[in-house]
Amino acid sequence: MTKIDIISGFLGAGKTTFIKKMIEEVFKGEKIVLIENEFGEVGIDGGFLKDAGIEITEMNSGCICCSLVGDFGKNLHEVIEKFHPDRILIEPSGVGKLSDVMKSVIDVEKDEDVKLNGLITVVNALKASKQMKAFGEFFNNQIEYATTVVLSRSQKATPEQLELCVKQIQALNPKAAVITTPWDEIKGEQILKVVEGRDSLEVKLLAEQHAKEEAL
Ligand SMILES: Nc1nc2c(ncn2[C@@H]2O[C@H](COP(=O)(O)OP(=O)(O)OP(=O)(O)O)[C@@H](O)[C@H]2O)c(=O)[nH]1
Ligand SMILES: [Mg+2]
């Protein structure tokens, strides 16, 4: 079975840095595919990418990194069939909704041997309040659908800043676990424990909630 973790977060929040930490510290022995997704945004060489569907950009220490453009669900199927990884890490675009990515994964769950494992959102502790106001449509959705929120740059935040940040996150999503420890002071294994402790029941509830909202 392939576990799928989604690591969302606004532009520059620290998603890639966080993923690298987790790969180095926790997922080393696993066969990992990292998917960076642009969700249908077609850039300059979009035509080329679109034809290919999947572009493999990097392969190191057992990790296959690829970008998907176009039909995300279809491409996700292809990645699973082709690589049969132990784990897929998805880094969605910073200006995408976490609920959209979640929905695609839930669709794939119906006919592939995969499990939606973690819904993680990385939030810049120094910028959260401003970004929440300015980019609420994406920013808030990313928090609302997360089971675990990981603050980045918390080592540079004042205690007041941190407290406010956690409060604002909890106002949007009272159930999410919020990790405020600076990344140099916490082991990847500890983070994974928190993520996997928010068990699949909660992921299922979020999925149902989303389905209801869709139906309205
Ligand atoms: N020291 C420190 N640096 C961080 C932290 N989070 C992010 N950074 C730095 O912030 C910059 C952006 O981080 P990325 O990991 O590329 O962010 P991202 O969310 O993947 O960015 P996009 O994919 O462009 O949206 C990098 O230079 C990181 O080194 C943190 O918690 N501590
Ligand atoms: Mg990134």
Side-chain angles (χ1 to χ4, degrees), residues 14-17 36 91:
K15 301 179 286 295
T16 305
T17 312
E36 301 203 312
E91 178 183 342

Side-chain angles (χ1 to χ4, degrees), residues 7-20 36 38 91-95 122-125 150-156 181-184:
I7 296 93
S8 78
F10 197 66
L11 298 170
K15 301 179 286 295
T16 305
T17 312
F18 176 77
I19 289 169
K20 280 191 184 148
E36 301 203 312
E38 299 303 332
E91 178 183 342
S93 148
V95 286
V122 180
V123 170
N124 183 334
V150 181
L151 296 187
S152 68
R153 299 177 183 82
S154 57
Q155 71 279 10
K156 291 187 190 143
T181 314
W183 297 357
D184 287 345

